[in-house]
Amino acid sequence: MSSTEYSDYIDDADPVEEVSSVKQIQVELPIELRGERIDKAIAKVLTEYSRSKIQQWLEAGLIYENERQLQVKDTASGQQILQISVPNDPQNEAFLPENIPLKVVFSDENIAIIDKPYGMVVHPAAGNWSGTLLNALLYLFPECSQVPRAGIVHRLDKDTSGLLVIAKNSIAQLGLVKQLQDRSMQRKYLALAWGKTPTTKVIHGSIGRDPRDRLKMGITLGHGKEATTHLQTLCHAKFEGKDLSLLSCQLETGRTHQIRVHLESIGHALVNDPVYKNRIPHQTAQVLKEQLLSHQIDFPGQFLHAGLLGFMHPITHEQLIFSQPASLPMLQMLDFLQIEPVVWQKAFETCN
């Protein structure tokens, strides 16, 4: 599967950076790997690096057999000795197992369902080369080291909590990615936003990099990727005279920051979102934060939780559905705002 087929759901791999120093290593491929794709064969021997990292090295011309530069399309002939120039950069240590606790909701030999806590980065990137969900998965499920991107097929922002499905083998990964692409995987989020939202609304708006701020995404005209979010208002509340809305947000597509961008675009940015906060009552938002802290409720980042996930098991074809309550600080915040649990519990019992 090409990298473009994954690009809607996980970060594209960064190209290998040019660096001044490298280390030279030799790798011997045993005869039993004959016929395997070369990146897969190398990954089985060089287990400390991911297949996507090895693919990057192949594309950058860093792997040779004798004096012949190997290509991604090559297959292993067995009993080969390869020379690899490993760039000396932080990314090379990013795909190592780390003993980080994870809440596993479900696991079999093909897939796992993880309840990701807020504050955890899903995939290593600049500024977060360790301590990620990927590092934790490689420790908890060593078989994920043989799957591109450790079996991650979709992501959540660092400060978004909730359910993710992980593939433990390539067949399962293909099946899950197909469901994301044909939009049959059901993903529902619990969100708390500023303002009085409509009872229901479908938001369409292509999402791309904000040309004025490269750290943000935005609604774009003429470029970006199609994105659709279905909103349903669960209840309204007030704080200091300002309206708040508790929502369920169901995704058709899975674009970067999709719900955050779409809600801001209609004037209802998420509560406590540090980036997307146009047209919010800033003074009231600060008072809310201070009062929450005075009640020892400390929730960093936006109020967004992936509370429900439904899909067809990629191997058994059984229809599965998983739900998971929000984190304790989120529930404490709802209680502080006098929003009854039954309001959100009923919305996350089944997929619509």
Side-chain angles (χ1 to χ4, degrees):
M1 177 168 291
S2 67
S3 61
T4 56
E5 290 178 276
Y6 287 115
S7 62
D8 285 352
Y9 309 107
I10 55 177
D11 293 323
D12 291 324
D14 292 326
V16 174
E17 299 176 4
E18 292 185 12
V19 290
S20 58
S21 59
V22 297
K23 65 177 180 179
Q24 304 290 335
I25 61 173
Q26 276 198 165
V27 174
E28 183 174 357
L29 303 183
I31 189 67
E32 55 264 27
L33 294 179
R34 183 174 184 174
E36 293 266 23
R37 251 181 58 160
I38 194 68
D39 60 318
K40 187 176 181 181
I42 295 171
K44 287 184 175 180
V45 176
L46 211 59
T47 56
E48 63 268 37
Y49 299 110
S50 70
R51 276 183 66 189
S52 61
K53 175 61 64 179
I54 291 165
Q55 288 168 358
Q56 290 176 39
W57 294 346
L58 286 162
E59 290 167 357
L62 300 179
I63 303 180
Y64 284 80
E65 181 181 10
N66 297 323
E67 296 184 358
R68 184 177 75 87
Q69 179 181 313
L70 296 182
Q71 308 293 322
V72 176
K73 64 182 179 181
D74 288 339
T75 57
S77 60
Q79 292 184 324
Q80 296 168 270
I81 296 179
L82 309 181
Q83 294 78 41
I84 304 178
S85 299
V86 179
N88 184 22
D89 73 77
Q91 297 184 55
N92 296 328
E93 306 303 319
F95 295 88
L96 298 178
E98 295 182 40
N99 186 4
I100 302 169
L102 283 180
K103 183 174 182 179
V104 180
V105 177
F106 172 84
S107 179
D108 64 16
E109 62 183 3
N110 297 294
I111 63 171
I113 306 297
I114 306 298
D115 183 10
K116 185 190 86 70
Y118 65 82
M120 175 179 275
V121 173
V122 169
H123 199 273
N128 295 282
W129 296 119
S130 63
T132 70
L133 177 71
L134 182 143
N135 299 114
L137 289 172
L138 291 175
Y139 182 89
L140 188 61
F141 304 118
E143 61 269 35
C144 286
S145 66
Q146 303 303 314
V147 188
R149 302 181 190 262
I152 296 169
V153 296
H154 63 130
R155 62 169 181 255
L156 298 175
D157 296 336
K158 177 182 177 181
D159 287 329
T160 298
S161 59
L163 296 171
L164 287 165
V165 58
I166 306 300
K168 295 184 181 181
N169 55 63
S170 295
I171 296 175
Q173 189 176 46
L174 286 169
L176 292 171
V177 168
K178 183 178 184 301
Q179 292 178 66
L180 285 163
Q181 291 174 330
D182 66 21
R183 305 183 184 182
S184 61
M185 186 177 289
Q186 301 177 75
R187 291 166 289 166
K188 188 187 285 188
Y189 292 68
L190 183 69
L192 185 66
W194 288 105
K196 195 168 187 177
T197 55
T199 303
T200 60
K201 186 175 181 64
V202 181
I203 306 175
H204 301 285
S206 295
I207 292 177
R209 190 66 60 182
D210 188 329
R212 295 166 297 180
D213 184 348
R214 302 300 293 173
L215 298 178
K216 294 177 64 176
M217 308 300 287
I219 301 293
T220 57
L221 298 175
H223 69 285
K225 295 179 179 179
E226 174 199 358
T228 301
T229 306
H230 296 257
L231 306 184
Q232 181 180 1
T233 298
L234 304 179
C235 74
H236 297 297
K238 280 188 179 291
F239 176 77
E240 298 286 309
K242 299 296 184 181
D243 289 309
L244 293 160
S245 298
L246 189 66
L247 310 165
S248 71
C249 303
Q250 191 148 329
L251 298 181
E252 276 192 31
T253 52
R255 312 307 181 199
T256 302
H257 300 175
Q258 178 172 320
I259 293 173
R260 299 167 68 187
V261 171
H262 273 173
L263 283 173
E264 186 193 47
S265 75
I266 62 170
H268 298 291
L270 288 170
V271 170
N272 218 28
D273 195 317
V275 177
Y276 302 96
K277 50 187 177 181
N278 286 340
R279 292 189 279 173
I280 72 167
H282 292 280
Q283 186 173 349
T284 305
Q286 183 59 35
V287 173
L288 175 59
K289 187 172 184 178
E290 291 170 357
Q291 290 200 19
L292 290 171
L293 286 173
S294 72
H295 286 76
Q296 297 184 317
I297 303 171
D298 184 12
F299 180 69
Q302 65 279 353
F303 192 112
L304 188 62
H305 173 70
L308 191 145
L309 181 65
F311 60 94
M312 185 179 70
H313 193 291
I315 306 300
T316 67
H317 305 300
E318 177 187 0
Q319 195 66 37
L320 301 175
I321 185 167
F322 300 92
S323 62
Q324 199 67 20
S327 65
L328 180 59
M330 282 183 165
L331 299 181
Q332 290 173 328
M333 188 186 298
L334 295 180
D335 183 61
F336 175 81
L337 294 170
Q338 299 183 327
I339 296 175
E340 296 292 334
V342 66
V343 173
W344 56 264
Q345 287 172 345
K346 186 174 182 180
F348 285 82
E349 288 175 355
T350 59
C351 284
N352 294 327

